[in-house]
Amino acid sequence: MRARRARPCLVGWEITRQCNLRCPHCYSSATVEPRPELSTKKCLELVDELAALGTKLIAFTGGEPLLRDDLETFARRARRHGIESGITTNGVLLDARRAASLKRAGFNTVQISVDGSTPERNARMRATSAESFERVLEAVRACRKLRLDVGFAMLLGAETFDDARPFLELARREKAGWVRFCGFVPWGAGKRAPVAKRLRFTGKLDGLRAFVEEARESDDPQVMFDPGFGPTEPGQRFHPCAAGKLLLYLSSTGDVYPCTSLLDPRFVVGSVNERPLRDIWCDPKMTEMARYPREKIKGRCATCEDFAACHGACRGIAYAYTGRLDSPFPICLKPAR
């Protein structure tokens, strides 16, 4: 198989699918019970393979990554190769002692997922207690004290949208460095109809568009929106698809996907239990989505005057909503004319 000049600079790694919470919208359908996952030895081998491929950053996610007591072992191995490590956690298990352990191991960035500005709002989405909510805030403070780059992530869906501005105020009070608003995508547990009904935006999106435009101006904290939201104006370009070109996603069982937005089984390129990671990275299927002919996209996208800037936005998210790669982007924030 021919080598590729491109390298997976960013790797998202679902290090476990076990979690201490049962969020109804969970992207990975995590469970409280232990699930099969890659061994410590295999994970260390994969860190070495990623280093050989030129990876610069590994973003460990889950499930809840802190449930793996060998997590720091992977970060130390990555640091030895000059690879930075970040983590996405729900924060409930992140006390001052574990935060210090993460920093010593080489973690630079901590993203803490919270889906509400108050214990009551967070409980509605994550079924957590007021005590757990306070532990999350204490985790943010512990990370700040250690000078870790710490920020919040919040799922922004129909049911949570009215809490977006109060959530930003919470982030300011806690002096978080940034907030990432994640669009609802029906992967994993989110595929279930009752969940989608609660979180999917329908009808006019004027209010959402106004908030995106307003929040983007914030630098206290910095506000980011993930690919779940499409461009709002012609000047806001949507990056060309980098799936399988600059990044990949590795599941807890060893399946390799081109991107975190392509989690349907049809997008699995291969398993590290069966093939070397380099072979999977060089497989033509890895870049299949990035090479998808955008002229095939139908509906509103096909006739949009700003298509050259937008490219039809994220095809993985369009597929999650519709089961079709040629469907128009479902949460386009560009005003209709």
Side-chain angles (χ1 to χ4, degrees):
M1 187 170 290
R2 294 181 61 186
R4 292 173 57 192
R5 290 186 179 180
R7 60 189 181 185
C9 297
L10 170 61
V11 171
W13 192 342
E14 178 195 64
I15 202 66
T16 183
R17 201 167 288 179
Q18 185 181 9
C19 188
N20 55 317
L21 301 182
R22 291 295 297 271
C23 303
H25 55 282
C26 180
Y27 210 66
S28 61
S29 297
T31 62
V32 175
E33 299 78 19
R35 299 278 293 275
E37 57 191 30
L38 299 174
S39 68
T40 300
K41 181 177 182 292
K42 183 64 175 179
C43 288
L44 289 172
E45 291 173 357
L46 288 171
V47 172
D48 294 342
E49 290 188 65
L50 289 171
L53 286 173
T55 296
K56 296 300 181 185
L57 171 63
I58 299 175
F60 291 99
T61 183
E64 174 47 59
L66 295 179
L67 287 172
R68 286 202 65 148
D69 57 13
D70 52 2
L71 179 65
E72 285 88 339
T73 303
F74 309 144
R76 284 192 291 269
R77 179 68 68 92
R79 183 173 60 182
R80 203 175 302 162
H81 289 298
I83 301 174
E84 294 188 0
S85 295
I87 183 175
T88 294
T89 170
N90 60 46
V92 175
L93 304 176
L94 185 59
D95 56 15
R97 182 177 179 180
R98 190 71 189 268
S101 175
L102 293 179
K103 182 169 183 178
R104 286 195 301 271
F107 279 91
N108 309 98
T109 304
V110 179
Q111 177 175 284
I112 299 182
S113 299
V114 188
D115 289 326
S117 64
T118 66
E120 295 76 20
R121 290 302 300 250
N122 190 53
R124 190 184 302 179
M125 292 301 300
R126 292 182 165 255
T128 55
S129 65
E131 180 184 4
S132 293
F133 185 79
E134 183 55 35
R135 284 204 297 269
V136 170
L137 299 186
E138 289 173 357
V140 175
R141 296 162 195 159
C143 289
R144 282 181 38 235
K145 190 173 181 179
L146 291 167
R147 297 187 178 181
L148 284 163
D149 181 16
V150 60
F152 283 118
M154 176 187 178
L155 178 72
L156 196 59
E159 186 175 307
T160 65
F161 177 58
D162 66 326
D163 196 34
R165 289 181 177 86
F167 189 84
L168 275 180
E169 287 303 315
L170 170 69
R172 290 189 183 102
R173 290 197 304 272
E174 295 298 331
K175 297 181 175 58
W178 37 272
V179 170
R180 177 181 174 223
F181 285 109
C182 307
F184 169 67
V185 181
W187 285 131
K191 287 182 177 181
R192 295 175 297 174
V195 178
K197 185 177 181 179
R198 289 173 59 187
L199 295 171
R200 180 172 183 170
F201 285 105
T202 57
K204 292 185 177 180
L205 300 176
D206 295 349
L208 177 60
R209 182 185 311 114
F211 173 70
V212 171
E213 293 173 351
E214 168 194 329
R216 198 183 290 120
E217 300 300 318
S218 172
D219 57 7
D220 179 27
Q222 179 187 4
V223 177
M224 299 171 282
F225 291 88
D226 78 358
F229 306 98
T232 58
E233 296 292 342
Q236 185 206 346
R237 294 179 176 271
F238 204 94
H239 61 75
C241 181
K245 297 177 72 175
L246 298 175
L247 52 90
L248 63 80
Y249 183 75
L250 181 60
S251 82
S252 61
T253 56
D255 286 336
V256 180
Y257 300 81
C259 173
T260 56
S261 293
L262 298 168
L263 297 187
D264 189 86
R266 70 163 288 182
F267 299 117
V268 174
V269 181
S271 170
V272 297
N273 298 306
E274 300 170 356
R275 301 163 61 191
L277 188 55
R278 178 176 291 278
D279 285 357
I280 298 173
W281 176 248
C282 294
D283 191 311
K285 188 177 179 180
M286 183 62 76
T287 57
E288 184 178 40
M289 189 49 51
R291 292 181 284 106
Y292 180 78
R294 298 297 172 119
E295 62 272 14
K296 288 187 175 182
I297 300 174
K298 301 174 181 178
R300 182 184 176 190
C301 290
T303 58
C304 179
E305 60 188 9
D306 299 312
F307 184 81
C310 170
H311 314 295
C314 178
R315 291 294 88 201
I317 291 173
Y319 184 88
Y321 271 95
T322 67
R324 296 178 60 95
L325 289 172
D326 62 357
S327 64
F329 191 72
I331 313 295
C332 178
L333 298 183
K334 182 179 181 297
R337 292 195 177 106

